[in-house]
Amino acid sequence: MASQLEPGRTLLSSGVTRIRIPITDGSEPETSGYLLRHANDSVTIVDPGESSSLARGAVDCALTSAGSPAVASIFVTHAHRDHAAGAPALARRYDVPVIIHPAESAEIKASRDDSWRMQRSRKLREWGVPTDQAKAMLGSPHLLPDWQDVKLLFVTDGEFLPFSNERFQVVGVPGHTAGSLALLAAADSLLLSGDHLLAHRHVGVGIGADFGIDPLGDQLASLERLRNIGPAMIAPGHGRPFIEVEERIAVERAHLLRRLAEVRSSLDHAPTISLWHRAATLSWRRPWIELDSRHRRVALTQLAHFVSHLDHVRE
């Protein structure tokens, strides 16, 4: 059972502590990072959050409250800014590696040059977005800090987390991003899921510079794999830890399949219209006309992945 420590920290199991890390862009209140205590009393910091002073303060406070242990490494479940932007500064401060899936290095590279802008602009044209709308949708990148002198230690599915004496095993959960990772503490039946599965909302698929060939197919396969693993508790990258694991997997899977059926029906009835016009005919959390430019761009990206999945399964 989880037990509450001082504000901002929750002990989930022996040596696993949740850190509530503020997000300053208003997208949502916080992310969930974690401290993993190893047998030698060093710690790995999981998902240290954004690079703001508030996020750094939350991590520093957690380390102080834990007795200022030596930091062995930083583990990043995926390279989105709200989870990973704080990692380079911590890696430099403690002279430790950042552990990450190799596919996430594309996100790091794209955030430091103009490739994100060129890729996004090309996609908007392909999707038939009007020029005036495309300009607004192009937006600004969520830049990650400079990772140039940071040591990256790449891990993939099935490996054990370095420094953990084989307590935590890396589980590949591609879908949200191509290189999304989770950590399984089998002895505690606890899984740190990153953004693969949350308690309070659905998760987008294929978000980032490298989204793989079929991110929707990847997400569905990762959900099935998680169901087979069957952890008793999930500690996600946003929101509270939860034990309703089977229920959340079923809800997430049903949501994706309902959306897939809606997209398939749209393609059957109007196979030649652009993605832009197709999006306006589908259901969203709010009416299409009410979505701002950023949310329309996200919606179009998701729709493109669903269409791509249908093309992929027909091959």
Side-chain angles (χ1 to χ4, degrees):
M1 292 292 291
S3 58
Q4 187 65 41
L5 305 176
E6 66 276 359
R9 295 177 61 230
T10 305
L11 182 65
L12 301 181
S13 69
S14 176
V16 181
T17 304
R18 177 192 175 204
I19 316 167
R20 298 173 66 176
I21 304 175
I23 299 177
T24 58
D25 69 0
S27 57
E28 53 184 300
E30 62 190 22
T31 59
S32 292
Y34 299 89
L35 290 185
L36 310 182
R37 176 88 62 170
H38 302 311
N40 65 359
D41 274 343
S42 68
V43 295
T44 289
I45 304 169
V46 178
D47 283 358
E50 63 182 27
S51 59
S52 69
S53 59
L54 283 175
R56 289 194 301 272
V59 173
D60 288 346
C61 182
L63 288 168
T64 300
S65 298
S68 300
V71 174
S73 63
I74 298 156
F75 182 89
V76 171
T77 60
H78 61 295
H80 287 171
R81 179 194 55 81
D82 55 339
H83 295 267
L90 286 169
R92 294 186 189 99
R93 184 197 304 178
Y94 295 109
D95 191 23
V96 297
V98 175
I99 302 171
I100 196 169
H101 190 282
E104 297 301 285
S105 60
E107 186 75 13
I108 295 170
K109 178 181 182 299
S111 75
R112 302 311 310 171
D113 58 32
D114 250 359
S115 61
W116 68 269
R117 183 179 292 276
M118 291 184 291
Q119 181 189 48
R120 185 175 293 175
S121 180
R122 183 178 68 253
K123 286 295 184 184
L124 293 174
R125 289 195 302 271
E126 290 175 1
W127 296 340
V129 179
T131 303
D132 59 330
Q133 295 283 337
K135 184 176 180 181
M137 284 187 191
L138 192 57
S140 300
H142 282 159
L143 288 178
L144 292 169
D146 186 5
W147 291 62
Q148 187 171 352
D149 58 345
V150 174
K151 179 183 178 183
L152 298 180
L153 181 57
F154 293 130
V155 294
T156 56
D157 178 68
E159 297 182 50
F160 286 98
L161 178 69
F163 315 108
S164 75
N165 198 28
E166 298 192 355
R167 181 184 178 192
F168 295 96
Q169 188 171 23
V170 175
V171 179
V173 285
H176 182 60
T177 67
S180 285
L181 295 175
L183 285 174
L184 175 67
D188 303 293
S189 197
L190 172 68
L191 184 119
L192 279 61
S193 68
D195 279 2
H196 171 57
L197 187 67
L198 308 178
H200 64 295
R201 64 171 171 83
H202 300 304
V203 174
V205 299
I207 308 294
D210 180 3
F211 46 74
I213 296 172
D214 179 18
L216 175 58
D218 289 342
Q219 181 71 353
L220 289 167
S222 293
L223 287 169
E224 180 62 17
R225 185 176 185 201
L226 182 54
R227 189 184 68 81
N228 291 332
I229 292 171
M233 177 182 285
I234 285 185
H238 296 267
R240 62 172 178 85
F242 59 95
I243 59 174
E244 309 89 354
V245 179
E246 284 270 6
E247 177 184 337
R248 284 302 306 156
I249 292 172
V251 167
E252 192 68 16
R253 185 174 183 276
H255 164 73
L256 294 173
L257 293 179
R258 278 196 304 270
R259 170 57 90 188
L260 188 62
E262 184 182 14
V263 173
R264 182 185 289 112
S265 176
S266 172
L267 288 165
D268 288 343
H269 285 87
T272 61
I273 63 173
S274 70
L275 205 76
W276 168 258
H277 288 104
R278 189 177 308 285
T281 71
L282 301 176
S283 59
W284 305 96
R285 280 186 292 178
R286 299 202 309 273
W288 178 256
I289 194 70
E290 295 180 10
L291 296 180
D292 61 22
S293 296
R294 183 176 73 85
H295 286 97
R296 286 188 177 189
R297 186 186 72 238
V298 171
L300 285 166
T301 302
Q302 297 302 288
L303 177 54
H305 292 326
F306 277 73
V307 172
S308 175
H309 175 75
L310 290 169
D311 290 339
H312 184 72
V313 297
R314 289 191 188 106
E315 292 176 355

PDB file of all heavy atoms in Angstrom, residues 232-249:
ATOM      1  N   ALA A 232       0.029  -5.391  -9.873  1.00  0.00           N
ATOM      2  CA  ALA A 232      -1.025  -5.046  -8.914  1.00  0.00           C
ATOM      3  C   ALA A 232      -1.230  -3.543  -8.814  1.00  0.00           C
ATOM      4  O   ALA A 232      -2.325  -3.083  -8.484  1.00  0.00           O
ATOM      5  CB  ALA A 232      -0.687  -5.617  -7.534  1.00  0.00           C
ATOM      6  N   MET A 233      -0.180  -2.773  -9.094  1.00  0.00           N
ATOM      7  CA  MET A 233      -0.274  -1.311  -9.027  1.00  0.00           C
ATOM      8  C   MET A 233       0.521  -0.701 -10.166  1.00  0.00           C
ATOM      9  O   MET A 233       1.591  -1.210 -10.526  1.00  0.00           O
ATOM     10  CB  MET A 233       0.259  -0.775  -7.694  1.00  0.00           C
ATOM     11  CG  MET A 233       0.258   0.755  -7.592  1.00  0.00           C
ATOM     12  SD  MET A 233       0.941   1.386  -6.024  1.00  0.00           S
ATOM     13  CE  MET A 233      -0.422   1.024  -4.915  1.00  0.00           C
ATOM     14  N   ILE A 234      -0.007   0.387 -10.720  1.00  0.00           N
ATOM     15  CA  ILE A 234       0.708   1.169 -11.726  1.00  0.00           C
ATOM     16  C   ILE A 234       0.986   2.547 -11.161  1.00  0.00           C
ATOM     17  O   ILE A 234       0.104   3.196 -10.586  1.00  0.00           O
ATOM     18  CB  ILE A 234      -0.088   1.251 -13.035  1.00  0.00           C
ATOM     19  CG1 ILE A 234       0.011  -0.087 -13.779  1.00  0.00           C
ATOM     20  CG2 ILE A 234       0.405   2.396 -13.926  1.00  0.00           C
ATOM     21  CD1 ILE A 234      -0.626  -0.114 -15.127  1.00  0.00           C
ATOM     22  N   ALA A 235       2.217   2.972 -11.325  1.00  0.00           N
ATOM     23  CA  ALA A 235       2.643   4.319 -10.946  1.00  0.00           C
ATOM     24  C   ALA A 235       2.897   5.083 -12.245  1.00  0.00           C
ATOM     25  O   ALA A 235       3.924   4.880 -12.895  1.00  0.00           O
ATOM     26  CB  ALA A 235       3.908   4.265 -10.095  1.00  0.00           C
ATOM     27  N   PRO A 236       1.957   5.939 -12.672  1.00  0.00           N
ATOM     28  CA  PRO A 236       2.038   6.556 -13.998  1.00  0.00           C
ATOM     29  C   PRO A 236       2.856   7.845 -13.999  1.00  0.00           C
ATOM     30  O   PRO A 236       3.277   8.347 -12.949  1.00  0.00           O
ATOM     31  CB  PRO A 236       0.568   6.840 -14.314  1.00  0.00           C
ATOM     32  CG  PRO A 236      -0.028   7.152 -12.970  1.00  0.00           C
ATOM     33  CD  PRO A 236       0.696   6.273 -11.980  1.00  0.00           C
ATOM     34  N   GLY A 237       3.035   8.393 -15.206  1.00  0.00           N
ATOM     35  CA  GLY A 237       3.785   9.630 -15.365  1.00  0.00           C
ATOM     36  C   GLY A 237       2.987  10.881 -15.083  1.00  0.00           C
ATOM     37  O   GLY A 237       3.548  11.976 -15.001  1.00  0.00           O
ATOM     38  N   HIS A 238       1.666  10.750 -14.959  1.00  0.00           N
ATOM     39  CA  HIS A 238       0.790  11.852 -14.547  1.00  0.00           C
ATOM     40  C   HIS A 238      -0.258  11.268 -13.606  1.00  0.00           C
ATOM     41  O   HIS A 238      -0.816  10.206 -13.881  1.00  0.00           O
ATOM     42  CB  HIS A 238       0.070  12.495 -15.738  1.00  0.00           C
ATOM     43  CG  HIS A 238       0.964  13.159 -16.734  1.00  0.00           C
ATOM     44  ND1 HIS A 238       1.286  14.501 -16.676  1.00  0.00           N
ATOM     45  CD2 HIS A 238       1.605  12.666 -17.814  1.00  0.00           C
ATOM     46  CE1 HIS A 238       2.077  14.806 -17.692  1.00  0.00           C
ATOM     47  NE2 HIS A 238       2.289  13.697 -18.397  1.00  0.00           N
ATOM     48  N   GLY A 239      -0.555  11.974 -12.543  1.00  0.00           N
ATOM     49  CA  GLY A 239      -1.641  11.559 -11.677  1.00  0.00           C
ATOM     50  C   GLY A 239      -1.250  10.489 -10.679  1.00  0.00           C
ATOM     51  O   GLY A 239      -0.097  10.099 -10.536  1.00  0.00           O
ATOM     52  N   ARG A 240      -2.270   9.995 -10.002  1.00  0.00           N
ATOM     53  CA  ARG A 240      -2.086   9.114  -8.857  1.00  0.00           C
ATOM     54  C   ARG A 240      -1.721   7.696  -9.292  1.00  0.00           C
ATOM     55  O   ARG A 240      -2.129   7.228 -10.359  1.00  0.00           O
ATOM     56  CB  ARG A 240      -3.388   9.058  -8.046  1.00  0.00           C
ATOM     57  CG  ARG A 240      -4.574   8.474  -8.833  1.00  0.00           C
ATOM     58  CD  ARG A 240      -5.789   8.247  -7.972  1.00  0.00           C
ATOM     59  NE  ARG A 240      -6.919   7.743  -8.762  1.00  0.00           N
ATOM     60  CZ  ARG A 240      -7.125   6.474  -9.060  1.00  0.00           C
ATOM     61  NH1 ARG A 240      -6.254   5.549  -8.656  1.00  0.00           N
ATOM     62  NH2 ARG A 240      -8.182   6.096  -9.764  1.00  0.00           N
ATOM     63  N   PRO A 241      -0.986   6.979  -8.453  1.00  0.00           N
ATOM     64  CA  PRO A 241      -0.862   5.539  -8.658  1.00  0.00           C
ATOM     65  C   PRO A 241      -2.224   4.875  -8.527  1.00  0.00           C
ATOM     66  O   PRO A 241      -3.105   5.361  -7.815  1.00  0.00           O
ATOM     67  CB  PRO A 241       0.078   5.105  -7.522  1.00  0.00           C
ATOM     68  CG  PRO A 241       0.782   6.346  -7.097  1.00  0.00           C
ATOM     69  CD  PRO A 241      -0.206   7.460  -7.308  1.00  0.00           C
ATOM     70  N   PHE A 242      -2.418   3.749  -9.214  1.00  0.00           N
ATOM     71  CA  PHE A 242      -3.729   3.118  -9.180  1.00  0.00           C
ATOM     72  C   PHE A 242      -3.612   1.602  -9.237  1.00  0.00           C
ATOM     73  O   PHE A 242      -2.619   1.051  -9.736  1.00  0.00           O
ATOM     74  CB  PHE A 242      -4.630   3.640 -10.306  1.00  0.00           C
ATOM     75  CG  PHE A 242      -4.095   3.425 -11.702  1.00  0.00           C
ATOM     76  CD1 PHE A 242      -4.467   2.325 -12.459  1.00  0.00           C
ATOM     77  CD2 PHE A 242      -3.221   4.353 -12.274  1.00  0.00           C
ATOM     78  CE1 PHE A 242      -3.989   2.141 -13.752  1.00  0.00           C
ATOM     79  CE2 PHE A 242      -2.727   4.173 -13.568  1.00  0.00           C
ATOM     80  CZ  PHE A 242      -3.119   3.066 -14.307  1.00  0.00           C
ATOM     81  N   ILE A 243      -4.653   0.946  -8.691  1.00  0.00           N
ATOM     82  CA  ILE A 243      -4.685  -0.516  -8.657  1.00  0.00           C
ATOM     83  C   ILE A 243      -5.756  -1.065  -9.599  1.00  0.00           C
ATOM     84  O   ILE A 243      -5.860  -2.278  -9.759  1.00  0.00           O
ATOM     85  CB  ILE A 243      -4.927  -1.040  -7.229  1.00  0.00           C
ATOM     86  CG1 ILE A 243      -6.255  -0.510  -6.667  1.00  0.00           C
ATOM     87  CG2 ILE A 243      -3.758  -0.660  -6.322  1.00  0.00           C
ATOM     88  CD1 ILE A 243      -6.616  -1.104  -5.321  1.00  0.00           C
ATOM     89  N   GLU A 244      -6.530  -0.186 -10.247  1.00  0.00           N
ATOM     90  CA  GLU A 244      -7.574  -0.630 -11.170  1.00  0.00           C
ATOM     91  C   GLU A 244      -6.955  -0.916 -12.544  1.00  0.00           C
ATOM     92  O   GLU A 244      -7.353  -0.339 -13.562  1.00  0.00           O
ATOM     93  CB  GLU A 244      -8.667   0.433 -11.292  1.00  0.00           C
ATOM     94  CG  GLU A 244      -9.219   0.917  -9.953  1.00  0.00           C
ATOM     95  CD  GLU A 244      -8.429   2.092  -9.390  1.00  0.00           C
ATOM     96  OE1 GLU A 244      -7.387   2.464  -9.970  1.00  0.00           O
ATOM     97  OE2 GLU A 244      -8.855   2.635  -8.363  1.00  0.00           O
ATOM     98  N   VAL A 245      -5.971  -1.788 -12.559  1.00  0.00           N
ATOM     99  CA  VAL A 245      -5.147  -1.976 -13.749  1.00  0.00           C
ATOM    100  C   VAL A 245      -5.944  -2.598 -14.887  1.00  0.00           C
ATOM    101  O   VAL A 245      -5.978  -2.067 -16.011  1.00  0.00           O
ATOM    102  CB  VAL A 245      -3.903  -2.817 -13.409  1.00  0.00           C
ATOM    103  CG1 VAL A 245      -3.058  -3.040 -14.671  1.00  0.00           C
ATOM    104  CG2 VAL A 245      -3.072  -2.125 -12.328  1.00  0.00           C
ATOM    105  N   GLU A 246      -6.585  -3.727 -14.635  1.00  0.00           N
ATOM    106  CA  GLU A 246      -7.376  -4.393 -15.683  1.00  0.00           C
ATOM    107  C   GLU A 246      -8.452  -3.455 -16.229  1.00  0.00           C
ATOM    108  O   GLU A 246      -8.689  -3.392 -17.434  1.00  0.00           O
ATOM    109  CB  GLU A 246      -8.020  -5.663 -15.116  1.00  0.00           C
ATOM    110  CG  GLU A 246      -7.055  -6.826 -14.945  1.00  0.00           C
ATOM    111  CD  GLU A 246      -6.969  -7.706 -16.179  1.00  0.00           C
ATOM    112  OE1 GLU A 246      -7.578  -7.348 -17.207  1.00  0.00           O
ATOM    113  OE2 GLU A 246      -6.280  -8.740 -16.118  1.00  0.00           O
ATOM    114  N   GLU A 247      -9.108  -2.724 -15.337  1.00  0.00           N
ATOM    115  CA  GLU A 247     -10.172  -1.816 -15.753  1.00  0.00           C
ATOM    116  C   GLU A 247      -9.642  -0.723 -16.660  1.00  0.00           C
ATOM    117  O   GLU A 247     -10.234  -0.419 -17.705  1.00  0.00           O
ATOM    118  CB  GLU A 247     -10.835  -1.206 -14.525  1.00  0.00           C
ATOM    119  CG  GLU A 247     -11.913  -0.187 -14.832  1.00  0.00           C
ATOM    120  CD  GLU A 247     -12.465   0.464 -13.581  1.00  0.00           C
ATOM    121  OE1 GLU A 247     -12.365  -0.137 -12.500  1.00  0.00           O
ATOM    122  OE2 GLU A 247     -12.986   1.589 -13.702  1.00  0.00           O
ATOM    123  N   ARG A 248      -8.512  -0.123 -16.289  1.00  0.00           N
ATOM    124  CA  ARG A 248      -7.952   0.960 -17.093  1.00  0.00           C
ATOM    125  C   ARG A 248      -7.461   0.464 -18.449  1.00  0.00           C
ATOM    126  O   ARG A 248      -7.614   1.149 -19.464  1.00  0.00           O
ATOM    127  CB  ARG A 248      -6.797   1.651 -16.343  1.00  0.00           C
ATOM    128  CG  ARG A 248      -7.240   2.581 -15.247  1.00  0.00           C
ATOM    129  CD  ARG A 248      -8.149   3.688 -15.766  1.00  0.00           C
ATOM    130  NE  ARG A 248      -7.563   4.426 -16.864  1.00  0.00           N
ATOM    131  CZ  ARG A 248      -8.255   5.106 -17.775  1.00  0.00           C
ATOM    132  NH1 ARG A 248      -9.570   5.107 -17.739  1.00  0.00           N
ATOM    133  NH2 ARG A 248      -7.639   5.771 -18.728  1.00  0.00           N
ATOM    134  N   ILE A 249      -6.874  -0.716 -18.487  1.00  0.00           N
ATOM    135  CA  ILE A 249      -6.454  -1.287 -19.768  1.00  0.00           C
ATOM    136  C   ILE A 249      -7.667  -1.502 -20.667  1.00  0.00           C
ATOM    137  O   ILE A 249      -7.656  -1.154 -21.856  1.00  0.00           O
ATOM    138  CB  ILE A 249      -5.699  -2.620 -19.557  1.00  0.00           C
ATOM    139  CG1 ILE A 249      -4.355  -2.356 -18.864  1.00  0.00           C
ATOM    140  CG2 ILE A 249      -5.485  -3.333 -20.888  1.00  0.00           C
ATOM    141  CD1 ILE A 249      -3.638  -3.619 -18.438  1.00  0.00           C
TER     142      ILE A 249
END
